[in-house]
Amino acid sequence: MTIELPDVMLGSQPLTSEQAQIDFAVGLYSGGHASLGRAARVSKISHTDFMRELGKRGICLNYTVDDIAHDMRMVDELMPDSCAA
């Protein structure tokens, strides 16, 4: 899907198409309609920059206990035994 937005002025603040794209991606993520990675791709900014943008807006990451457990299992599976402490 392609949405084209012209650069516009909203009050005294300009809204560029790039900022509108980030706003849209943040809305998708905060509404539970897109994962963090997918929303970052929609925003066309890096994963890290997207997380920073969420932080600036006071939006918490949707990271559950199940996500932590999954990540820990993946670390255990991917870490060679020689690196284990």
Side-chain angles (χ1 to χ4, degrees):
M1 173 187 339
T2 301
I3 300 172
E4 291 188 35
L5 300 170
D7 293 349
V8 296
M9 290 290 289
L10 296 176
S12 63
Q13 298 295 321
L15 178 65
T16 65
S17 57
E18 291 82 13
Q19 187 59 48
Q21 195 161 351
I22 292 169
D23 290 347
F24 179 69
V26 167
L28 289 174
Y29 178 76
S30 64
H33 301 289
S35 67
L36 183 66
R38 182 159 298 182
R41 284 191 300 277
V42 167
S43 72
K44 294 190 179 175
I45 60 176
S46 73
H47 191 267
T48 302
D49 287 342
F50 188 74
M51 287 192 297
R52 283 191 189 109
E53 186 65 32
L54 293 173
K56 287 193 290 188
R57 296 171 185 232
I59 298 171
C60 296
L61 295 179
N62 300 326
Y63 194 68
T64 66
V65 172
D66 289 338
D67 294 331
I68 294 168
H70 174 265
D71 289 349
M72 295 303 293
R73 283 192 306 274
M74 291 306 297
V75 167
D76 288 343
E77 288 177 23
L78 297 173
M79 184 189 301
D81 291 334
S82 61
C83 295

